[in-house]
Amino acid sequence: MCNVSLNGTQPSDASLRVLRALEAAGLEAWYVGGWVRDALMGYPSHDVDMCCSGLWQESKAALEAAGIAVVESGIKFGGITAISDGERIEVTTYRLDGFYTDGRHPQSVERAASLEDDLARRDFTVNAMAWHPERGLVDRYDGQGDLERKLIRAVGDPKRRFNEDALRMLRAVRFACRLDFMIEPETKRALAECAPLLDAVARERVGIELEGILSTGHGGDAMLRYPELICASVPELAAGRGFDQRSVYHAFNVYEHIARVLTVAGELALCDGVAPSSSLMWAAFLHDVSKPECFTVDHAGSGHFYGHPELGAKKARVIMDRLALSHDLVRDVCLLIKYHDKPLRPERSCLLNMMRALSGEGVDTARLIDELMDLKRADTLGKAPSCFYYVETIEEMRALAHELLKAGEPYTLKMLAINGGDLIRAGVKPGPELGQLLNSALDAVIEDDIPNEREALLVHLNLN
Ligand code: ATP
Ligand code: MG
């Protein structure tokens, strides 16, 4: 039993068993970091992190003596994972070092003498609290106060902390977005100033943090509040800052437009109470990344961006590959960007052709057509109010797309009522002609409403 509760939150029995096993061996152990923060905020069941006075070998021996399985998950940094009743609990030696991720520091740990030293090395005040069921809360940096004030504040001098590890800047933004906190002014200033340090961080880690930011659905806020850092993460976005679109359809410059689109796209998911889709968030984030380089002005002085979706899709691939994002995610995002601005009408053939374009190996076309409508909706609402009427058409198109999907209307060769074998049996020689004929059969079903039936298609192809 615990005699000091944490805002009413009780730790799990499995994690308590780990703590007791460590202490039975004469070590000192604490709940720490995100679990304490989230428990104080009343958020349930966060992964448990513990820190412990023992070397990892001592912690491991103590846990195994109590019959708790151990995985040597991060021994380079003094960390092991205890598996207690199926729950994974990270146990880390009090450390003086080892959070650094920019490659400029030794990737090892020096052991700290005390819990206080360990907490001093943690990134933000709200993450630098420790709790023990009998000894209570240790909060040297007023993390509780910052939780109440809804602030992300660096522990110590923010510039020094960001110089030590530049990834912390993106962590700050991720926590601010996730918890709906502001970044405390001095920390925020340091973030703008130290943004170029992000260059030293492995792109893959930047990708993981950006994904974390976008997945909160509040990436648009991050873009508007912390533009230096966002542009340090994706330098290709910088050209859009302050870029006047010179168009009656646009009330905002390119960068602000992107931010607004990202905000609306995030809200669409959050309003539905679901996690925002990664592909939709990344597509919104990068959909106009090529606008500045496609800019032209016509004789009337109006700006145009011909070709920006195609070029944007190519650029998004380069950016996302650099950030080591998954192949499937990149594929879906590039499709959404490529087609985000393609004129579309609420007509059967128009929508089937769009679904045809949004199909391919491994692509979930039903999901993607919905996300394309989300992106178009968000894109529209990020323009000038005179464009907002188009939202109704988008919703009409969405409804029609759902109907077509439900009716099983074909939009890929595989969905046709005939296949290559049928054509060969009807006398067509194997070779490229087969593909051409199947494509023209699909054209006929989509464009001319020829029924998707074997006989009708063979008649249409003059093969009966
Ligand atoms: P979540 O897991 O929900 O994203 P968390 O706070 O648990 O949030 P982790 O990345 O799991 O975050 O890290 C656990 C703890 O380790 C943090 O709360 C923080 O105290 C510390 N920490 C993690 N990364 C760093 C870092 N780069 N610099 C300083 N402290 C860090
Ligand atoms: Mg964690």
Side-chain angles (χ1 to χ4, degrees):
M1 264 305 286
C2 314
N3 54 27
V4 187
S5 107
L6 195 59
N7 203 18
T9 306
Q10 289 291 336
S12 65
D13 289 345
S15 67
L16 269 177
R17 213 165 16 255
V18 169
L19 185 107
R20 301 295 182 216
L22 293 166
E23 300 206 323
L27 304 169
E28 184 183 78
W30 298 81
Y31 290 80
V32 76
W35 186 85
V36 178
R37 177 196 69 222
D38 287 356
L40 283 168
M41 293 183 78
Y43 295 162
S45 74
H46 186 284
D47 296 343
V48 175
D49 287 310
M50 277 183 199
C51 62
C52 175
S53 59
L55 290 172
W56 71 264
Q57 294 89 337
E58 294 172 293
S59 305
K60 181 175 184 235
L63 292 166
E64 285 178 345
I68 297 170
V70 169
V71 181
E72 294 179 12
S73 50
I75 50 175
K76 232 168 128 189
F77 307 102
I80 54 173
T81 304
I83 317 262
S84 175
D85 281 348
E87 197 179 324
R88 297 171 69 87
I89 291 128
E90 306 291 328
V91 179
T92 314
T93 304
Y94 291 162
R95 50 183 163 188
L96 271 180
D97 211 331
F99 283 125
Y100 306 137
T101 41
D102 58 6
R104 289 185 297 134
H105 295 269
Q107 295 280 302
S108 64
V109 271
E110 233 183 273
R111 185 179 177 190
S114 66
L115 171 72
E116 278 69 22
D117 288 343
D118 178 281
L119 295 179
R121 290 287 150 166
R122 292 181 181 265
D123 47 8
F124 307 112
T125 59
V126 296
N127 287 347
M129 291 180 275
W131 179 80
H132 185 280
E134 281 84 38
R135 297 190 292 272
L137 188 71
V138 178
D139 178 15
R140 290 188 53 173
Y141 305 99
D142 196 18
Q144 275 199 103
D146 284 338
L147 281 181
E148 272 160 34
R149 290 182 284 270
K150 292 176 152 260
L151 283 180
I152 300 297
R153 180 197 311 268
V155 171
D157 172 17
K159 268 198 247 167
R160 190 167 67 79
R161 304 313 308 283
F162 294 155
N163 267 280
E164 284 170 359
D165 178 4
L167 192 74
R168 289 177 185 147
M169 296 188 284
L170 281 173
R171 287 174 58 84
V173 174
R174 173 162 63 84
F175 287 122
C177 287
R178 189 165 93 198
L179 304 173
D180 196 15
F181 281 22
M182 298 301 282
I183 296 182
E184 171 276 326
E186 199 189 334
T187 305
K188 186 178 175 200
R189 263 196 304 283
L191 202 131
E193 208 172 297
C194 299
L197 298 174
L198 206 62
D199 288 351
V201 176
R203 290 300 94 180
E204 183 187 335
R205 287 178 178 276
V206 172
I208 292 170
E209 288 300 330
L210 280 177
E211 168 68 29
I213 290 169
L214 293 176
S215 72
T216 65
H218 299 297
D221 289 344
M223 285 186 76
L224 293 176
R225 289 184 186 152
Y226 317 110
E228 297 84 0
L229 189 64
I230 295 299
C231 291
S233 311
V234 179
E236 289 86 345
L237 287 170
R241 284 186 77 188
F243 196 104
D244 183 355
Q245 309 207 50
R246 295 179 56 182
S247 161
V248 290
Y249 305 119
H250 281 283
F252 305 103
N253 67 48
V254 170
Y255 185 87
E256 284 172 357
H257 163 74
I258 295 175
R260 277 163 199 277
V261 173
L262 188 50
T263 295
V264 179
E267 278 168 359
L268 287 176
L270 297 173
C271 288
D272 288 346
V274 295
S277 130
S278 251
S279 44
L280 177 61
M281 293 303 105
W282 278 97
F285 185 47
L286 298 175
H287 78 286
D288 276 351
V289 69
S290 281
K291 261 191 166 176
E293 67 202 280
C294 293
F295 185 62
T296 54
V297 180
D298 65 21
H299 62 277
S302 295
H304 300 279
F305 301 94
Y306 300 118
H308 80 275
E310 294 79 8
L311 204 63
K314 285 195 187 125
K315 210 180 234 188
R317 180 175 299 280
V318 172
I319 294 167
M320 295 181 79
D321 282 348
R322 187 173 68 219
L323 296 171
L325 293 156
S326 86
H327 169 80
D328 289 0
L329 177 63
V330 178
R331 177 200 61 207
D332 290 354
V333 170
C334 291
L335 282 169
L336 289 171
I337 294 179
K338 183 171 174 190
Y339 294 111
H340 81 269
D341 207 26
K342 196 167 167 61
L344 209 56
R345 292 182 306 280
E347 290 165 14
R348 175 184 175 278
S349 63
C350 222
L351 286 163
L352 285 174
N353 273 323
M354 182 49 76
M355 291 195 251
R356 189 179 187 178
L358 293 179
S359 61
E361 193 58 36
V363 178
D364 179 353
T365 306
R367 178 174 64 78
L368 229 52
I369 189 81
D370 233 359
E371 292 189 7
L372 185 76
M373 296 307 163
D374 288 340
L375 182 57
K376 288 178 91 64
R377 183 182 173 115
D379 196 12
T380 302
L381 294 174
K383 295 183 180 172
S386 61
C387 301
F388 292 178
Y389 71 91
Y390 186 51
V391 165
E392 254 178 64
T393 313
I394 292 168
E395 292 312 321
E396 241 181 275
M397 295 194 289
R398 191 198 300 273
L400 180 53
H402 287 175
E403 269 175 42
L404 295 169
L405 285 165
K406 203 166 158 210
E409 294 250 17
Y411 53 85
T412 65
L413 299 188
K414 278 202 189 118
M415 296 169 89
L416 277 177
I418 51 169
N419 60 25
D422 294 316
L423 300 191
I424 290 170
R425 275 189 293 281
V428 181
K429 295 225 161 38
E433 201 197 342
L434 276 185
Q436 284 161 15
L437 284 170
L438 287 172
N439 270 303
S440 69
L442 185 57
D443 287 342
V445 175
I446 293 178
E447 303 292 346
D448 307 326
D449 235 345
I450 301 282
N452 185 25
E453 290 160 11
R454 197 170 167 281
E455 275 313 305
L457 292 174
L458 290 175
V459 168
H460 175 78
L461 297 173
N462 292 322
L463 291 174
N464 58 328

